Amino acid sequence: MNSRQPIPVVVLAGFLGSGKTTVLNHLLAGRGGTRIGVVVNDFGSIEVDAMSVAGQVGDSMVSLGGGCLCCAVDGSELDAYLEKLSAPVHRIDVIVIEASGLAEPQEMIRMLLANENPAVRYGGMVEVVDAAEFDATRTRHPETDRHLAVADLVVLNKTDRVTAGERARIETELAALCAPGTPVVGADHGRVDPELLFDRRPWTETRGQLSFEDLLAEAEGHDRCAHTHAAYESTEFTSRQALSPRRFMDFLDRRPAGLYRIKGFVYFGVPGHEERYEIQAVGRFLRFAPQPWGPGEPRLTQLVLIGAGTDGQGLLRELEACREEAPQDANPESMWGVLRYVDRPAEDWGDAREPDPSEAPWTD
């Protein structure tokens, strides 16, 4: 991750007992050398969740006790914590907010989108669902449906506690409750591959003879992370030919639900937009970040697509169909679809229009 780019802030939500802390601990244990800042928002005065992760993140964790994060009057408390974690001295790569089980994700998303700290940006919302208690949770908390509607990625946890038929029924109901195209990732004991949410750095920092990550991996068991990763397929695409922004956005709009993550760089070559565009997609959350090319760096597109049950060859054929032979002749207005998902001041938009504020920036 480029340190000059804003740090993504991922919201990890779900009702009490869904397994959010277990998911978070698994992400921390399998993070490689990635530096994760954690904000734990516990409901009540005893911060059990904070204590359970404190040993893994140390000074990079802050905790909000005594109530839900979304109940803050003006969000200034969260802003202060994000400012602390995003300080260059910490060299944080990603920030995860574990929301209280009684939090309102919509309010948290609004707070993050309204945050004026240029060092951070909203990175999507992950909703954790307890498969074994799915029906009971919806009965106790009718707002579950509203929470699922704004999720970018759903983790169906505790799948080992339901039958295959019951899981299929729940997944069908989730597909109807979530926005179209929202991926549902099955998990047991919160085992979700960190690569679905953020990039893992190589293990480089050492403390004594073993790195901190080595010790974590040793404690968790190497095979567990490897087994989790084996559940997903990775497809790589490279093109020295520019991509058509319109055809590429069409590809993203119709991407299959099993495609959980897209990352890399895209070269469009449209006049006025010749930069490379970093792309980060987690579930249906999508964001582009234009960046300058390095001296002598070849103009090309490089993408990694991670999913389960996807047709890798089919994805490659669709991406190959996005190639553009004469990008220099393209109308700058063809970039409108891409620029809807770029965070930058309106005066920097060049010939393209500013996006309509009513267009939700975290959805397709």
Side-chain angles (χ1 to χ4, degrees):
M1 184 176 298
N2 191 326
S3 60
R4 294 174 297 178
Q5 295 296 316
I7 302 170
V9 181
V10 177
V11 176
L12 186 63
F15 283 99
L16 297 170
S18 61
K20 296 187 304 297
T21 300
T22 306
V23 171
L24 176 58
N25 280 328
H26 184 75
L27 293 175
L28 291 168
R31 61 183 170 164
T34 302
R35 298 178 68 88
I36 305 176
V38 179
V39 177
V40 175
N41 168 221
D42 289 306
F43 189 82
S45 58
I46 302 176
E47 299 171 356
V48 178
D49 289 348
M51 290 187 289
S52 69
V53 299
Q56 297 201 43
V57 293
D59 293 337
S60 294
M61 187 192 76
V62 293
S63 181
L64 302 173
C68 292
L69 188 66
C70 61
C71 296
V73 176
D74 57 8
S76 59
E77 189 176 13
L78 173 62
D79 293 346
Y81 287 131
L82 292 179
E83 184 174 358
K84 173 186 175 181
L85 287 174
S86 63
V89 65
H90 295 306
R91 295 182 289 120
I92 295 294
D93 297 305
V94 61
I95 296 172
V96 178
I97 298 178
E98 183 192 348
S100 159
L102 301 179
E104 280 292 341
Q106 298 97 321
E107 294 304 317
M108 196 168 297
I109 291 170
R110 289 191 185 98
M111 290 164 63
L112 289 171
L113 291 173
N115 188 285
E116 297 181 353
N117 183 351
V120 299
R121 64 168 174 81
Y122 175 58
M125 198 271 275
V126 179
E127 180 80 5
V128 182
V129 174
D130 183 341
E133 298 292 330
F134 178 68
D135 295 325
T137 299
R138 289 186 70 197
T139 299
R140 289 193 306 269
H141 303 286
E143 63 271 29
T144 297
D145 295 3
R146 188 172 67 249
H147 295 183
L148 288 167
V150 298
D152 297 298
L153 180 72
V154 175
V155 175
L156 183 59
N157 195 27
K158 306 182 185 181
T159 54
D160 56 312
R161 295 179 56 192
V162 297
T163 65
E166 188 68 2
R167 174 176 175 175
R169 178 189 68 82
I170 295 171
E171 289 177 342
T172 299
E173 292 194 35
L174 288 173
L177 294 170
C178 297
T182 304
V184 177
V185 180
D188 63 86
H189 299 90
R191 297 169 187 168
V192 177
D193 192 332
E195 286 282 355
L196 299 185
L197 302 181
F198 52 79
D199 295 338
R200 278 185 286 203
R201 287 178 174 271
W203 296 357
T204 56
E205 295 186 14
T206 58
R207 298 185 181 185
Q209 294 183 340
L210 291 176
S211 72
F212 183 52
E213 288 80 7
D214 282 331
L215 296 173
L216 276 176
E218 188 173 277
E220 286 290 312
H222 294 280
D223 293 339
R224 183 193 295 187
C225 291
H227 175 73
T228 303
H229 188 73
Y232 309 108
E233 302 104 26
S234 178
T235 301
E236 297 183 4
F237 173 78
T238 301
S239 175
R240 293 188 175 274
Q241 194 171 332
L243 300 190
S244 161
R246 284 177 173 155
R247 290 198 293 273
F248 185 62
M249 291 307 298
D250 286 343
F251 165 79
L252 293 176
D253 287 342
R254 63 175 185 271
R255 62 190 186 270
L259 185 55
Y260 305 137
R261 178 93 192 277
I262 303 174
K263 59 181 180 177
F265 300 93
V266 186
Y267 172 52
F268 296 112
V270 175
H273 303 279
E274 291 90 351
E275 317 99 308
R276 69 175 187 173
Y277 281 76
E278 180 186 23
I279 178 174
Q280 291 285 348
V282 175
R284 69 189 183 104
F285 174 81
L286 176 64
R287 184 64 77 242
F288 287 99
Q291 300 174 1
W293 297 97
E297 186 176 1
R299 272 54 173 167
L300 49 77
T301 292
Q302 293 178 299
L303 297 173
V304 177
L305 303 92
I306 303 172
T310 54
D311 177 6
Q313 291 303 312
L315 292 174
L316 291 177
R317 285 193 296 270
E318 290 192 56
L319 286 169
E320 287 166 1
C322 294
R323 288 178 170 147
E324 178 60 63
E325 292 184 2
Q328 68 278 3
D329 297 333
N331 190 317
E333 292 182 355
S334 66
M335 289 291 293
W336 285 0
V338 173
L339 297 180
R340 282 182 57 202
Y341 301 96
V342 170
D343 290 326
R344 60 176 176 176
E347 60 268 19
D348 292 340
W349 284 75
D351 295 329
R353 69 169 175 86
E354 182 180 0
D356 185 338
S358 66
E359 296 172 336
W362 60 87
T363 60
D364 295 339

